[in-house]
Amino acid sequence: MDRNDVLAGFRARFRLPDDENVVYLDGNSLGPLPASVPMRMREAVEVEWGRSLVRGWNDAGWIDLPARAAGKIARLIGAPADSVAVCDSTSVNLFKVLAAALSLRPERKVVITDVANFPTDLYVADGLARLLDRGYEIKPVQFDQIEAAIDDTVAAFMLTEVDYRTGRMHDMGAMTAHAHACGALAIWDLAHSAGAFPVDLTGARADFAIGCGYKYLNGGPGAPAFLFVAEKHLPEIAPAIAGWMGHLEPFAFSPGFVPADGIARMTSGTPPILSLVAFDAALDAFDGVDLASLRVKSQQLCDYFIAAVEANCEGLELATPRDAGVRGSQVSFRHPEGYAIVQALIARGVIGDFRAPDIMRFGFAPLYLRFADIHHAAEQIGDVIKTGSWDEPRFKQKAKVT
Ligand SMILES: *Cc1c(COP(=O)(O)O)cnc(C)c1O
């Protein structure tokens, strides 16, 4: 299968560990280092910062970096470049777009979300509702009941397209259309979508979206995040975090806030240039990548992994949909000793992660994974479980980050 892989050549765009036993199945948590990043970082630190000093903002084009990175992300998420901003974290961006959505539906008080949504999304929504103190109800419902829960009392839904635990995927177009038919707005979290497979925000007529820079986009630990606002909403929204970078004329230093015309109004403070340099260079790994092939290979990798793991061992319950059409780019299995099994696998170089309470999660990034890697990983999983080699105290010690 590797010989027929049209994306095989893109693996060279990443700097993966030399050790052949290392199979990286955690690019959905932290993407690996793209080969273009180290040199670009060195130049940014030593030449641009070191020699240009403050002149770097103009001379090295630092001030335009967020828009440049946003343009590269726009293609991956099916959005016009000028409706995407790179800034802040996913959590902060959710706060901003949810506040904007609520301001567009002032008479409605309900926000629908998934009970199993990523906790930060739930915390941010609850925090905003508390802050606004206007009787907002953040209503978490079960995956299958979300559509029915959206009616004409709902201001907006905020859903993560792909569930971070199970990998189950919402139908973005259908759910958005249903919300619109009820007069509600659609906010999509693309944390487990952007860079894993093509997203079509324009086609789905999404109102708002947010997403992560450090997962499938490989922007580096704590990379800035992105946000999207549909063009028609932009003129009507005032940023909840009105910072000087969102001002029409930041360097007029005027005391009153006047929002920038475009998507820049949704940005707040000074962009983190070193992180952006890495992120912008990392995004070049997607240059010339046919996004439809990305989806095809992602589905093949996941199918291959499920079949190989199930052939190698018993006692694992598949937590991910078998149907590739409703699955993101990850495969999860449940096991009561999932944490220890994942640690034992990591000790052998097969790097996945564990999500409480019992999910062993494996992410599949089509640009650098080979079918041979998947084969090796599945063999190791089978071996760890059959031999019970996970059953050691050192594999049960919980680290700070899981
Ligand atoms: C990873 C992830 C986040 C992370 O948010 P940060 O602000 O970057 O910590 C948010 N939402 C979802 C759905 C995620 O998967």
Side-chain angles (χ1 to χ4, degrees), residues 94-108 111 128 132 136 154-158 183-187 207-208 229 233 236-238 240 266:
L94 176 59
F95 181 91
K96 294 187 293 186
V97 300
L98 181 57
L102 295 178
S103 76
L104 292 173
R105 293 289 180 274
E107 72 291 357
R108 297 183 178 208
V111 175
L128 178 62
L132 292 172
Y136 282 110
V154 172
F157 72 64
M158 39 164 255
L185 296 166
I187 303 171
D207 299 288
F208 300 92
V229 179
H233 295 314
E236 296 174 63
I237 55 177
M266 294 298 280

Side-chain angles (χ1 to χ4, degrees), residues 28-29 88-94 117-121 124 159-164 189-192 210-215 222-225 355 361:
N28 52 325
S29 183
D88 302 314
S89 64
T90 308
S91 303
V92 172
N93 285 338
L94 176 59
N117 204 345
F118 193 83
T120 202
D121 294 41
V124 165
L159 294 174
T160 301
E161 187 187 14
V162 175
D163 183 290
Y164 76 104
D189 187 331
L190 305 177
H192 297 280
I210 52 171
C212 237
Y214 51 80
K215 292 174 179 164
R355 287 293 172 264
R361 187 174 72 155

Side-chain angles (χ1 to χ4, degrees), residues 339-341 343-345 347 389-397:
Y339 183 81
I341 295 170
Q343 301 320 305
L345 285 167
S389 71
W390 53 267
D391 197 3
E392 280 186 46
R394 64 180 172 131
F395 295 140
K396 296 178 186 177
Q397 262 163 16

Side-chain angles (χ1 to χ4, degrees), residues 37 41 100 114-115 127 151 161 181 183 202 237 240 260 275 283 285 293 305 312 320 333 343 374:
V37 169
M41 282 293 273
D114 189 330
V115 277
D151 57 26
E161 187 187 14
T202 304
I237 55 177
S275 296
L283 287 166
S293 312
F305 181 73
N312 277 312
T320 302
F333 288 98
Q343 301 320 305
I374 308 309

